[in-house]
Amino acid sequence: MHNVKIALGPIHTAGQMALRVHNRHKDKLPAINRAIAELKQTGQIDRILNKYSDFSL
């Protein structure tokens, strides 16, 4: 689209996804965990991953 070549490097990891939160934001973890649980329950995470990710490599 913008005449830019994009190359993807090799996959360097496989398995569960992780989210790291800086220690100064640990008070936000309960809200983050609730949001993740809701997104999982509604299937939104799966829809996002299916739309933007290709795990068939």
Side-chain angles (χ1 to χ4, degrees):
M1 178 175 180
H2 298 289
N3 199 24
V4 176
K5 293 182 181 180
I6 297 175
L8 300 176
I11 296 174
H12 59 81
T13 187
Q16 296 182 349
M17 290 191 295
L19 175 67
R20 295 182 68 168
V21 177
H22 194 278
N23 193 39
R24 69 177 173 236
H25 299 298
K26 64 184 174 185
D27 61 314
K28 312 269 189 310
L29 281 176
I32 292 169
N33 288 332
R34 282 192 303 273
I36 291 170
E38 182 178 341
L39 292 171
K40 285 175 69 173
Q41 182 182 16
T42 62
Q44 187 66 21
I45 288 179
D46 288 331
R47 286 191 291 278
I48 292 168
L49 290 175
N50 289 334
K51 183 174 182 178
Y52 295 105
S53 301
D54 180 4
F55 294 112
S56 65
L57 301 174

